[in-house]
Every structure is written in C-alpha cells, then in structure tokens.
Amino acid sequence: MKLTDDDRGILSGESGPGAQKAMEILLSLGRIFEAEKMIPIESAQIAGVSYLNIGDIGLEFLKDWADAGARVSIPSFMNPAGIDRRLWKKMGISDHFARQQMEIISTLHRMGIEETLTCTPYHIDHVPKNGDHLAWSESSAVSFANSALGARTNREGGPSALAAAIIGKTPFYGLHLFENRVATHRINVKCTVKTVEEYNLLGHTIGSKVGHAIPYIHGLELLIDSPHATSCLKSLGAAMAASGSIALYHIDGITPEAIEYGPDLSGDHMSEITITHLDESRHALQQSSTKLQLVTLGCPHASLDELKNYAHLLQDVRVKIPLWITTSAHVYQQAEENGLLDIIERSGALVIADTCMVVAPLKYLGYSYIAVDSAKAACYLPSHQDATTYFGSTEQCIKSAREGKWIS
Ligand code: F3S
C-alpha cells in the first residue's frame, strides 16, 4: 500500500505509540483487503462502547491505547453505551456495571471522542454528505449513511473505526470504491409497503433472502426528505443489516446513487417479494406466548419526529408494564424542551438516552419477555439478552403495554 511521508512517520512512531498502533491496524487492514492507498475521511462512528459487549478486557484495551497518547484527529462519535448516564439507577443497573461503563465513556472521551452515545448521529447534526468517505461501525448507521445519504463507509469494527478516527484516514477498499457499490441483486417488490412496520418486515425479508449482498430495490414509493421516509429507510436498513449483513442498498428513484445512476446500478440476481414473504417474516418474529415484561421502542435511536409520534400515541394512555423509548441525549433534551417528555412520562413510559434494549444489560435486570417495534431488535434480543421477543407495529406495542400482555 502506498503511504505518504506523514503516514510513514506515524508508522515509525514519530507521533507517539498511540498513533503508531492506529497506523499499524489500518496498514494490516489495507494489506488484507489489498487497498492501494489510504484516503482521508470526514468522521468516525465508534461501536464497542457498551460494557455488556466489551467487558473488562475491552476497557483495559481502550485505557492502554488512551494512555499511549492516542487522540482522534477528526469528528468522532460514540455508539450507545450500556446505561443511561442519568437514569441507570431507575433502570435497575448495578453500581459495578455503571462504574465500569462510565470508565469506558471517560476513556473514549479522553481520546477526543464526542459522548453522542447514539446509533443515529445523523439525527444530531452529524449528517454526512453524498460522496463523503467515513469510518462508521454500527450496522444501522453504516447502512443509513451508505444508502440513504450516499456517503461511503465499510462496516468497521470498533478498533478499526477508532484507528481511522486517530489517523483521520482509512484504507481505500470495499464500499469506498464505486465499482463495489453496484448492486448484486435486483429485488422487485410486488406488494404494498408503506408503513414503518412494513419497511421493517421488508428489510428482514431481504436480509434473510440475500444475506451479504447489495440489493437494488424496485417498486417502492416514498416522499423523499419527509420524516416518514427517514423512519422507513432507517428501519429497512437496520433490519437488513441484522437478518443479513447488508451495508448498502439502493432504491430505484429514491436513494441518491439510484437517482444518479439509475438501473445501471441494478444487480443480476432477480428476486420477487410478495405479501407472503412479509407474512413469513412477521411469523418468524412472533411467539405463541402472551407473557410480557417490557416494551421497548426506539431502535435505531428515535428522532425528534418519532418521539412526537410516540407522544401522540401515548397521550391520555396509562401503561401497565415498563415501556422504554430509547434515543440520544441530544434528542432527549430537544424532546424535554418541546414538552414531549411530559406527555410520554405521564403515561408511565420512560424515555431513555445513551443506551438501547440490545446493549443495556436487560438479561441481568430480569426482563425475559420483551416487545419491540423494530425487526433489528427482534432479531438480536433472543441471542443478546436470552429474551422471548415479540415484534409488532408501534401501535400494537403500546396497546400491549397498556394491557400488560402481548396482543397479537
Ligand atoms: Fe441502535 Fe441499539 Fe438498535 S445500537 S440500531 S438502538 S440495537
């Protein structure tokens, strides 16, 4: 891989051991994927923040790197942690877990990473532009940046995103290259897909069908730039990334690269999606039981518009079991200023920031029967939290929280 004089200097340790280690990681990655060179990036989004996921070994790894002088050189943001920094006691999280989690956050902060603690940085003014190169790591954020915004990022691991944040560059391979962004599959949607619930089911279906691929989807209609379109696209991408490992999709006439290049970008392998496929996905995400202990909404992290919708649905409602809505601290604050929190919390529901149902330690809090309105969360909760999980529309989830049992 061609390196600049500056890159070589960093590699030889001129900028300290922290930067040297970052350059070694990027160089190894570049060699594995036969990258010709490094390219500058605009931002990095760093996953592997939750203590539930990285544990003490991960914390020691980060502390060693920070102690070696590693500091980021570009705007860099943290993915959700395992706690809400204000409400962790109310959530029932132990002192030990919270202490270790806070140490992870402060170590990353010491390296210069913003405490955004969200998988939707594009809802808090960190919106990449079409064509920007990034090093993002949370799968739904990667999908949204690549697909809905036309930015370019591989699905980074936590350490490689952090190394890229420190150097401000990433190896030029994978989805950074236009030729690798051409779709492998052409998906014809033959049924009506309009609601966020249906976009979740469509994403789950496509991910299950094509696995690791790039779909070009025909047959969808969305009012681009509307809050509803944003919710649909983020849910679609999150679901595809969870049931498959899709980091980029195109939608004919809707996503930026599909608009620019049209069917030239479309893939060869044809598939049709019908209502039967969506029903099969719904069935795969269902349970026969009705026992319910917790309802969690806001995966990926809710936007202000989504919180408005939740507030609307919770107006004059009282829930019988815990209902958590997860978002970023930034959006939480906006919701507080707009009076939305009051409406939501009057129902007995809780808006939780900084964390989510998958990376908070729910399995240690005694929640084993959980309902969600996200196909991604429904995919991950059984394996990550050993939970029996129900997927349904937002309305169905809220109705179930009111009744204290799953209403199918
Ligand atoms: Fe975000 Fe957690 Fe869902 S990180 S995409 S809210 S699983």
Side-chain angles (χ1 to χ4, degrees), residues 79-80 119 138 140 298-301 356 358 376:
N79 205 43
C119 52
E138 195 283 318
S140 77
C299 168
H301 267 179
C356 78
V358 172
K376 173 179 174 171

Side-chain angles (χ1 to χ4, degrees), residues 38-200:
M38 304 263 219
I39 47 159
I41 52 169
E42 303 298 324
S43 65
Q45 192 258 357
I46 292 140
V49 176
S50 171
Y51 180 60
L52 183 70
N53 294 341
I54 71 169
D56 291 320
I57 293 175
L59 172 57
E60 287 312 310
F61 172 81
L62 292 175
K63 275 163 61 181
D64 287 348
W65 211 350
D67 291 346
R71 299 294 179 266
V72 300
S73 60
I74 53 165
S76 306
F77 335 116
M78 292 180 211
N79 205 43
I83 60 169
D84 178 318
R85 285 168 293 174
R86 292 171 318 109
L87 294 181
W88 60 268
K89 268 193 198 294
K90 201 166 179 176
M91 292 168 73
I93 289 170
S94 72
D95 288 354
H96 172 75
F97 188 97
R99 198 169 43 248
Q100 298 303 92
Q101 181 60 74
M102 290 307 289
E103 195 165 356
I104 292 171
I105 295 170
S106 65
T107 304
L108 291 170
H109 182 79
R110 189 148 58 96
M111 292 195 215
I113 302 162
E114 289 180 44
E115 295 180 21
T116 50
L117 299 170
T118 185
C119 52
T120 55
Y122 48 86
H123 286 324
I124 58 168
D125 302 335
H126 296 307
V127 190
K129 295 189 299 301
N130 189 354
D132 278 358
H133 292 277
L134 319 169
W136 285 22
S137 49
E138 195 283 318
S139 65
S140 77
V142 166
S143 172
F144 194 85
N146 272 325
S147 315
L149 302 175
R152 299 183 176 197
T153 176
N154 289 316
R155 188 166 158 172
E156 301 286 348
S160 68
L162 184 47
I166 293 164
I167 302 300
K169 292 181 181 178
T170 194
F172 192 40
Y173 74 96
L175 294 178
H176 291 285
L177 295 161
F178 177 74
E179 59 265 33
N180 294 334
R181 300 176 67 84
V182 176
T184 53
H185 289 65
R186 179 191 166 107
I187 308 281
N188 294 319
V189 179
K190 296 287 188 187
C191 53
T192 304
V193 177
K194 279 195 164 46
T195 63
V196 175
E197 181 194 12
E198 288 162 348
Y199 271 86
N200 271 282

Side-chain angles (χ1 to χ4, degrees), residues 82 88-94 97 293-294 324 360-368 385:
W88 60 268
K89 268 193 198 294
K90 201 166 179 176
M91 292 168 73
I93 289 170
S94 72
F97 188 97
Q293 295 173 315
L294 175 69
W324 293 354
L362 295 191
K363 61 183 166 187
Y364 302 118
L365 305 182
Y367 294 118
S368 306
Q385 305 282 9

Side-chain angles (χ1 to χ4, degrees), residues 170-240:
T170 194
F172 192 40
Y173 74 96
L175 294 178
H176 291 285
L177 295 161
F178 177 74
E179 59 265 33
N180 294 334
R181 300 176 67 84
V182 176
T184 53
H185 289 65
R186 179 191 166 107
I187 308 281
N188 294 319
V189 179
K190 296 287 188 187
C191 53
T192 304
V193 177
K194 279 195 164 46
T195 63
V196 175
E197 181 194 12
E198 288 162 348
Y199 271 86
N200 271 282
L201 292 171
L202 179 65
H204 184 270
T205 304
I206 296 174
S208 308
K209 256 181 183 297
V210 305
H212 180 73
I214 302 176
Y216 189 105
I217 309 168
H218 294 260
L220 295 178
E221 286 177 19
L222 273 177
L223 200 55
I224 306 173
D225 293 336
S226 67
H228 177 68
T230 301
S231 297
C232 291
L233 296 180
K234 75 193 243 206
S235 296
L236 176 75
M240 274 190 224

